[in-house]
Amino acid sequence: MGLIRGSRLLAWLAAIAALLTALTVRPAVAADAPTMTKLSLGADQFKLTDTSSVSAANTLYTNYLTSHASLSDVVTTDLTRNSAGASDPWLNLRSMRSCAGTETKALPPVGTKTAWCWSQTHGDDTNPHWWPQGMSSTGTADGADGTIQGRHVLAVAWHYRTLSDETSTGCRTDNLLKLSLLDRDTGKYRHVLLAEPTGSGTNFRFVTGHGGGIVWYANYLYVTDTANGIRVFDLNKLAKVDTYGSGVSSYGIDGAGRSSACGYPYVLPQVHYYKQAGTPSDCSGHSIDPEQLCFSWLSLDKTGGAPYKLVAGEWQGYADGGRVVRYQLNPAGAGTYPGLLNMSGGRTVIEDAWAASRYRGLQGGMTWTDGGGVLNFAFHKGCGTKPGVYSHTWVGDTRAGTSCGAGGNWAAGPPQALSYWPKLDADPVDEVWGLTEGICAGSTLRAAHPEFTAATEEGDACLGYQGAGDLSLRTVFSVGFTDPAVQDRH
């Protein structure tokens, strides 16, 4: 695996404020096919067009969602009573806790700088309906000090899954999306409903999708829509709804003009929707559509000079060669499309595109250009509840990739998104963040829903677990990015 050469590591540390400018690798020596192959694209292949809902979102925010909220409001305001005035502890800010005992199976086998598990009190740690997926942070959103509106916050997207014998309806709809905003300094977090303005902005509906990838940049949150493209939400339009509480199952604006958001107190409106021209023939991971992309995960790359890159990748669980496409992203202070994707001729501009020629099952990834000008890739590959795979590769690398069959080398869960956090206020922290999604189903859940089964395969983190209660394999963690134990994995 690649090594960080001493002289270049010193140069990297000296340039940390400029984001990853000198991470280097050992040259590949094997005579084999490269792990990453650059693609030559057709004129409009993988390009996206923008459907703007800015005007509708402004109308919604100005005239209907008039209880405006800041990011700080959302992550610091405890709500002890619902909108009807009744005591409702479900609305309190939830507390992340330290992963302990069997839960540490889900952490990577290197020294973690941070290790959190979700709330037991509110059941987010083992909820079989809600599944954490994409992740980003203010650390990527603003490279100056890692804050937005003065807060150090991570964002995690979740999707809802109906179980066997359940009906998908209303706020219990398959792939309903919500967002968790997690204050790094306090370990407190709150769920927020993602919403799309309807019509001219007189109402809104919830958003559905897998939520596999999100990127936070400036005041925008980019969220993947697997078969279609990327949705964009504006953190400057966070709002508190009128009707909220654990018993609320409505959403939108009712006939009396009162808003609700599936019981959650806050809503985040969509402002842009970047869509590709067609729909992939298959996003189940079994086959690759040569003309259309499946948008499975996202990350942000600010290295290699202008422009910034929004990195979109595919999960192809049963086929090698999932694509990684890097779209040009404008700086927040740009004169045109500030903080948004660069456009030319009404379509997004692509920096480059790659095929992960010898990989499959990529759950998350990131790219960076090192001090030698070499493009590097890091990937999370999921292996069910067995140890997943973390791989570091680069352009020209010809080594064989670690596989699930080889026993993996990383967290169980499986691992999901990857996100880089360079600075915490004035201090370089040099962290790569990830999360895991899984649970080990207890006897009650297995008996009620046949999709949950007891583990039988060697190496499964759930093997031998036959407890009455469910076991969480859901973690949020960070590791040292330049740590050789991280970079020397493949």
Side-chain angles (χ1 to χ4, degrees), residues 305-317:
Y308 297 158
K309 276 75 67 175
L310 184 74
V311 185
E314 286 187 308
W315 175 83
Q316 295 290 348

Side-chain angles (χ1 to χ4, degrees), residues 39 46 224 226-227 276 280-283 285 287-298 311-317 319-325 354-356 359-365 379-380:
L39 301 176
F46 304 150
T224 56
T226 309
Q276 59 184 340
S281 57
D282 180 20
C283 281
S287 63
I288 298 175
D289 186 326
E291 297 302 320
Q292 309 295 334
L293 190 69
C294 297
F295 292 82
S296 302
W297 51 264
L298 292 177
V311 185
E314 286 187 308
W315 175 83
Q316 295 290 348
D320 293 340
R323 282 76 57 93
V324 178
V325 180
W354 303 82
Y359 292 100
R360 64 178 61 182
L362 303 183
Q363 299 276 76
F379 295 126
H380 261 173

Side-chain angles (χ1 to χ4, degrees), residues 6-87:
S7 61
R8 287 187 175 178
L9 177 57
L10 291 175
W12 191 95
L13 292 172
I16 184 68
L19 297 173
L20 317 178
T21 55
L23 181 66
T24 63
V25 297
R26 182 175 57 197
V29 294
D32 208 337
T35 55
M36 301 301 298
T37 304
K38 191 170 185 178
L39 301 176
S40 296
L41 302 182
D44 291 328
Q45 191 176 5
F46 304 150
K47 291 185 178 180
L48 312 174
T49 57
D50 179 20
T51 300
S52 173
S53 54
V54 171
S55 177
N58 287 340
T59 298
L60 182 67
Y61 185 70
T62 301
N63 300 325
Y64 297 92
L65 297 175
T66 56
S67 181
H68 300 161
S70 68
L71 177 62
S72 184
D73 291 333
V74 174
V75 297
T76 63
T77 306
D78 253 327
L79 299 172
T80 59
R81 296 185 178 275
N82 62 27
S83 55
S87 177

Side-chain angles (χ1 to χ4, degrees), residues 169-208:
T169 181
C171 292
R172 296 182 176 179
T173 292
D174 267 331
N175 288 320
L176 175 70
L177 284 177
K178 70 179 179 183
L179 181 73
S180 293
L181 294 172
L182 193 168
D183 191 313
R184 174 178 177 149
D185 299 321
T186 66
K188 300 280 190 177
Y189 68 96
R190 169 165 276 126
H191 300 313
V192 174
L193 187 70
L194 298 178
E196 180 181 11
T198 59
S200 58
T202 58
N203 208 335
F204 66 88
R205 55 176 168 257
F206 55 63
V207 173
T208 58

Side-chain angles (χ1 to χ4, degrees), residues 136-140 145-147 151-154 184 419-425 429-433:
S136 192
S137 74
T138 59
T140 63
D145 62 2
T147 68
R151 312 298 302 190
H152 304 115
V153 177
L154 294 111
R184 174 178 177 149
S419 183
Y420 180 68
W421 195 314
K423 293 184 69 177
L424 196 63
D425 298 324
V429 289
D430 183 31
E431 298 166 339
V432 59
W433 283 78

